[in-house]
Amino acid sequence: MAEQSGPPDALVAAIARSGHDMTLGWMRLLFTPPPGGASSDWMNSLAGDPKRLAAMQTAYLEKQAKLWAALSAGVANEQVAAQEPGDRRFVAKEWRENPFYAYIRQSYLLAARYLNDLVDGAELQNGAKDRLRFAVKQWIDAMSPANFVATNPEALRYALETKGESLSRGLANLIGDVQRGHLSQTDESAFELGRNLATTPGQVVFENELIQLIQYAPSTAQVAKRPLVMVPPCINKYYILDLQPENSFVRYAVAEGHTVFMVSWRNAGPEIGHLTWDDYIDKGVLLPMRVAREIAACDRINVLGFCVGGTLLGAALAVLAARQEELVASATYLTTMLDFSEPGQIGLFVDEGSHAAREAMIGRGGILPGADLALVFSALRANDLVWPYVVNNYLMGGSPAAFDLLFWNSDSTNLPGPMYCYYVRNTYLQNRLRIPDALTNCGVPVNLGRVKLPSFIFATREDHIVPWRAAYRSIELLGGEKTFVLGASGHVAGVINPPAKNRRSYWMDSQYPADPDAWLAGATQHQGSWWPQWSGWMDQFKGGTRKAPAKQGNRKYKPAEPAPGRYVKQKAPAVAAPNPMVAAGRRQAR
């Protein structure tokens, strides 16, 4: 089929009307409260400075009128608002060369800037303003003209070229995602656990109702006497640390001479919906650590926690310290918060009202659906994790590419209600883990300052889940010697950064002032992966070497099944539970 130079005249006229209607809709926002059920405090605070508000409205209307005049004159290059760097929503040439689409794009960007300026000018407390800013951003992102067939030139052109087949495929994709219960971000048929993900050889050597413990087979003739026990986040599955061979942190650690044990959390169903935070510490962290030490027949072990796994690990080590039990030689914390005073955007979803409602529903037993958590994490980066896939899958009728990180990201896990409710209340809401003896876990008071172990603390500079400054504050809380390393990129990509690719960079400095930004100002940037730096640090805690064992487990803990085990393959069981995160989202601007 010959290339279409543009939509037919009738369709162009309809698009122009759509753009005009959209602009009128933006203008109506000047005189109405923001989305998300925000209170009138927002507009009232702006009304306190009527001259400033009037000036902002006048400037906005003048620029919109300028855009409309350019459209009437058939001009496509009128620029009144610039895109953010890296914004890929408007890359098609029509957004710049076609007067209608150029108008729609500029009108949208102008209105978005205006709404953000209104939020910046609102006299609200910091927490309220942050929630309002997040709510407005979510709505602005959702209203992008690129997200709708009628105002997306690529989608319209492709629909014409394919005689509507792309729209038919898009509808089929939508129906398929509804049946799966989530937006497809990757070709899920391209991956299978044990075949091309989570393939590091090993055996399940222990299990209980909550976890399986995997011991990986050695790949070196000599191994460290002290094993390394990894505690991954229970909110997601462990194989983020064992993706494909070329980017597996587990495989790397094994190749560095460590006997690696991995905690594989069970995907919670109703049968374990009663488990608590203490159960996760006792059965999910402390017990596997003791099993690993017994199998390795050593004095102590090394431990590593990632994200929520690191928070659990910190509490577990405080329990050991209170009991004066010397089980651990060193601890590694990957993108972990122990001090939740600056929780980042996740904190915007947590408020007392919604959490109290959640506690009433599932705090004594029940399940928090993993789909709810997945929705929250995607909302934090909607223009990366939601809307591009809406456009590709539904508007263009395309299929997402195969990407291991996104396959893992969509493999959600449920959590027991009591455990989750305790975690959120005592960290995000009340930040009690950082206060000495404010919490009692497993029958003893928790004091992170009594954890006098050498600690390797790793954070990532663009982390939207665990802000690096929050991770840095673990230095003040933990006893013992600390090494802090800041990596480039985000929460997952910054961690999973194998040396062979020589990508990204990291920062280090041995002086740790109280101000994280002062530390960064004095830190030295190093090119490449942080993994070798961690491996060199770990060498001092191996406890010597021994001949690599021929088999996994021992007489007491015998291999039960090959890695990755059956727990990690369990999909999140469907549960009938309200979505408290959605309720929190509706209230986040109040």
Side-chain angles (χ1 to χ4, degrees):
M1 178 180 290
E3 182 178 353
Q4 299 280 347
S5 59
D9 293 343
L11 188 55
V12 168
I15 293 168
R17 287 195 299 272
S18 298
H20 183 240
D21 291 343
M22 184 183 73
T23 299
L24 292 177
W26 284 116
M27 290 180 177
R28 282 193 290 270
L29 288 173
L30 301 174
F31 311 105
T32 59
S39 71
S40 59
D41 291 345
W42 183 61
M43 294 302 290
N44 289 341
S45 70
L46 291 169
D49 189 353
K51 289 185 178 180
R52 180 174 179 273
L53 179 59
M56 293 173 65
Q57 291 175 344
T58 299
Y60 171 76
L61 291 172
E62 286 177 350
K63 290 181 179 180
Q64 285 286 8
K66 186 178 181 180
L67 283 177
W68 186 251
L71 173 63
S72 301
V75 176
N77 59 358
E78 189 68 47
Q79 299 292 320
V80 298
Q83 293 175 223
E84 292 291 330
D87 188 345
R88 301 287 299 169
R89 294 174 295 176
F90 306 109
V91 296
K93 63 181 181 180
E94 288 91 344
W95 293 114
R96 298 178 304 278
E97 299 175 4
N98 185 299
F100 300 107
Y101 293 120
Y103 164 74
I104 291 172
R105 176 177 67 92
Q106 284 284 297
S107 178
Y108 163 76
L109 292 173
L110 179 61
R113 175 188 291 178
Y114 174 77
L115 285 177
N116 283 320
D117 288 345
L118 288 180
V119 173
D120 290 340
E123 295 182 2
L124 299 173
Q125 296 297 321
N126 286 337
K129 180 175 282 194
D130 288 342
R131 288 191 291 273
L132 176 63
R133 182 179 288 111
F134 182 81
V136 169
K137 183 181 186 306
Q138 293 298 304
W139 198 77
I140 288 173
D141 291 347
M143 289 299 294
S144 167
N147 297 338
F148 303 93
V149 173
T151 50
N152 185 314
E154 284 185 289
L156 281 170
R157 184 177 69 242
Y158 194 49
L160 291 171
E161 291 174 354
T162 61
K163 298 182 179 180
E165 184 180 345
S166 62
L167 297 179
S168 178
R169 291 197 303 265
L171 179 60
N173 289 341
L174 174 60
I175 293 172
D177 281 354
V178 169
Q179 293 172 341
R180 280 185 287 270
H182 64 264
L183 171 66
S184 295
Q185 299 171 320
T186 186
D187 180 4
E188 297 182 15
S189 66
F191 298 105
E192 181 183 352
L193 297 184
R195 178 175 62 85
N196 55 3
L197 292 179
T199 60
T200 303
Q203 293 285 333
V204 173
V205 293
F206 172 79
E207 72 175 59
N208 57 30
E209 61 180 339
L210 182 57
I211 63 103
Q212 286 188 318
L213 183 64
I214 299 169
Q215 180 184 359
Y216 293 98
S219 62
T220 56
Q222 296 285 316
V223 297
K225 288 184 178 179
R226 293 171 179 161
L228 171 64
V229 178
M230 296 187 179
V231 184
C234 53
I235 289 175
N236 295 102
K237 295 185 177 179
Y238 85 80
Y239 63 90
I240 185 59
L241 294 170
D242 186 28
L243 289 168
Q244 301 186 73
E246 62 270 17
N247 60 357
S248 169
F249 185 76
V250 167
R251 192 175 291 261
Y252 174 81
V254 170
E256 292 295 293
H258 295 282
T259 298
V260 177
F261 289 82
M262 175 66 72
V263 172
S264 176
W265 299 101
R266 186 178 182 182
N267 207 333
E271 66 280 357
I272 61 169
H274 61 284
L275 294 185
T276 65
W277 178 259
D278 279 8
D279 289 324
Y280 269 65
I281 292 175
D282 186 32
K283 299 178 181 180
V285 182
L286 295 177
L287 185 53
M289 287 161 56
R290 294 189 178 99
V291 170
R293 181 175 66 172
E294 192 171 343
I295 290 175
C298 61
D299 60 340
R300 287 177 292 167
I301 65 170
N302 297 301
V303 292
L304 176 150
F306 185 3
C307 189
V308 182
T311 308
L312 280 163
L313 177 61
L317 293 176
V319 169
L320 291 177
R323 294 174 176 172
Q324 298 183 339
E325 186 176 350
E326 295 185 0
L327 176 60
V328 177
S330 75
T332 297
Y333 301 90
L334 305 182
T335 59
T336 293
M337 271 194 292
L338 300 175
D339 182 340
F340 287 72
S341 57
E342 299 178 74
Q345 291 184 338
I346 288 285
L348 301 177
F349 287 87
V350 180
D351 64 79
E352 179 60 40
S354 64
H355 190 67
R358 184 183 304 117
E359 287 175 324
M361 274 183 241
I362 61 173
R364 297 187 177 217
I367 296 296
L368 179 81
D372 287 1
L373 295 174
L375 176 65
V376 170
F377 292 133
S378 292
L380 298 178
R381 295 173 55 201
N383 276 340
D384 294 324
L385 296 176
V386 176
W387 299 115
Y389 300 99
V390 169
V391 172
N392 178 74
N393 301 1
Y394 308 153
L395 274 60
M396 304 292 290
S399 299
F403 189 18
D404 53 3
L405 284 177
L406 291 178
F407 177 87
W408 167 84
N409 188 62
S410 65
D411 194 4
S412 59
T413 59
N414 295 338
L415 291 176
M419 175 270 178
Y420 182 78
C421 290
Y422 180 96
Y423 165 62
V424 172
R425 174 159 296 283
N426 290 287
T427 56
Y428 285 98
L429 272 180
Q430 298 180 351
N431 195 20
R432 301 180 71 201
L433 180 60
R434 69 177 299 277
I435 303 173
D437 302 329
L439 297 178
T440 298
N441 290 156
C442 301
V444 295
V446 171
N447 185 341
L448 295 173
R450 286 197 287 262
V451 181
K452 300 187 182 302
L453 298 172
S455 298
F456 186 99
I457 302 168
F458 176 78
T460 54
R461 194 167 181 178
E462 300 168 27
D463 197 333
H464 63 292
I465 295 174
V466 178
W468 78 266
R469 293 172 181 84
Y472 182 87
R473 300 199 188 284
S474 297
I475 295 172
E476 300 177 7
L477 298 181
L478 295 166
E481 296 182 1
K482 273 86 64 171
T483 298
F484 182 80
V485 176
L486 178 64
S489 194
H491 186 72
V492 173
V495 173
I496 309 306
N497 183 24
K501 295 185 178 182
N502 195 32
R503 296 178 60 190
R504 305 187 182 96
S505 60
Y506 61 94
W507 290 261
M508 290 190 66
D509 189 67
S510 59
Q511 302 300 312
Y512 300 113
D515 182 2
D517 291 300
W519 175 87
L520 182 59
T524 301
Q525 185 175 9
H526 304 270
Q527 181 61 37
S529 169
W530 62 274
W531 291 10
Q533 186 68 42
W534 168 81
S535 180
W537 180 84
M538 281 291 296
D539 282 344
Q540 60 189 310
F541 307 111
K542 286 184 173 181
T545 61
R546 63 186 177 96
K547 184 180 179 181
K551 297 180 180 179
Q552 286 74 68
N554 61 14
R555 290 183 179 180
K556 182 177 178 181
Y557 301 106
K558 298 179 180 179
E561 60 179 309
R566 68 186 188 282
Y567 276 14
V568 75
K569 295 181 179 180
Q570 294 173 345
K571 295 295 183 179
V575 293
N579 189 332
M581 291 300 186
V582 171
R586 293 192 186 108
R587 296 159 52 178
Q588 54 192 301
R590 292 183 183 176

